[in-house]
Amino acid sequence: RMEKAQEELHRALVVDPELAQAYNLLGLVDERKGDPIEAERMYREAVCYRPDLAEARNNLANFLVAEGRYDEAGFEFRQAIAAAPDSAEARHSHGLFLVITKSYADAEAELRKAVELDPGAPVFHSDLADVLVQKGDDTEAKAQYQAALKAKPDLDSANLGLGLLLAGAGDRAASKSYCEAAMKSSDSDIREQARQCLQR
């Protein structure tokens, strides 16, 4: 109910024109509505009124990554973490950004921190496992995929990752069930990778 949310948030700003969280949420609404110019403006308003609002910094950083503006994104991620060092979400987002920029050692450190801060988040384990695969640490990667699937058995990325890992290790029988689970994904890229794995 995007229109209703937007209406209520604007009402909140009439009462308090400096309510940073309202601007932050409006940025999310504008992103979902496909209005990047207004989304960025809202995030920056939130940061202007509350420079220490880590959630707004993180949302702005993720927005900038999607826009391909990596230098600006890196700055906002660092500001988000400085404002809230114990934010698992900010650490996770920064870790994924570092993967994109191929800073794998730093990415691993951030994703480990995210897992440490919120060990119950399955996607954090799965994303850390992906980085460990890049590093060649298949043993720990397998453990991280398994931790993700223990918490969320239908997590597509973890099923695919573990399926590919096991196939690469020559364990086709064990790999099959995970790739078959990944074939149920709504993500066409995951389905295609799983299909190719099953056909090898």
Side-chain angles (χ1 to χ4, degrees), residues 2-69:
M2 294 297 168
E3 298 296 337
K4 181 64 174 174
Q6 205 165 31
E7 180 184 329
E8 293 299 327
L9 289 165
H10 279 298
R11 283 182 182 175
L13 288 172
V14 171
V15 176
D16 183 355
E18 297 184 5
L19 188 59
Q21 188 59 268
Y23 288 111
N24 177 49
L25 293 172
L26 280 167
L28 290 172
V29 171
D30 287 321
E31 269 203 86
R32 292 194 181 184
K33 290 179 69 177
D35 188 346
I37 293 174
E38 193 64 9
E40 180 177 1
R41 189 175 78 82
M42 291 295 102
Y43 290 140
R44 292 197 182 280
E45 286 286 341
V47 169
C48 177
Y49 288 117
R50 277 278 309 279
D52 63 338
L53 186 58
E55 184 182 346
R57 293 275 192 186
N58 191 51
N59 288 337
L60 175 57
N62 284 321
F63 169 83
L64 293 167
V65 170
E67 295 285 301
R69 293 154 63 183

Side-chain angles (χ1 to χ4, degrees), residues 48-142:
C48 177
Y49 288 117
R50 277 278 309 279
D52 63 338
L53 186 58
E55 184 182 346
R57 293 275 192 186
N58 191 51
N59 288 337
L60 175 57
N62 284 321
F63 169 83
L64 293 167
V65 170
E67 295 285 301
R69 293 154 63 183
Y70 290 171
D71 287 345
E72 293 175 80
F75 172 80
E76 294 299 338
F77 279 127
R78 290 189 294 274
Q79 292 298 308
I81 291 167
D86 292 337
S87 169
E89 191 60 43
R91 295 282 186 176
H92 175 248
S93 296
H94 190 215
L96 295 182
F97 168 69
L98 291 167
V99 169
I100 291 171
T101 58
K102 297 182 169 54
S103 301
Y104 295 115
D106 291 336
E108 180 186 348
E110 285 290 61
L111 292 171
R112 282 190 186 281
K113 187 65 177 177
V115 166
E116 177 188 323
L117 290 165
D118 187 1
V123 71
F124 293 1
H125 289 281
S126 183
D127 289 339
L128 173 57
D130 289 343
V131 173
L132 292 168
V133 168
Q134 290 279 347
K135 182 183 173 183
D137 189 347
D138 290 356
T139 300
E140 189 179 358
K142 181 179 177 181

Side-chain angles (χ1 to χ4, degrees), residues 118-126 143-155 158:
D118 187 1
V123 71
F124 293 1
H125 289 281
S126 183
Q144 292 293 338
Y145 284 133
Q146 289 171 332
L149 292 170
K150 182 177 180 181
K152 189 173 178 16
D154 61 347
L155 184 61

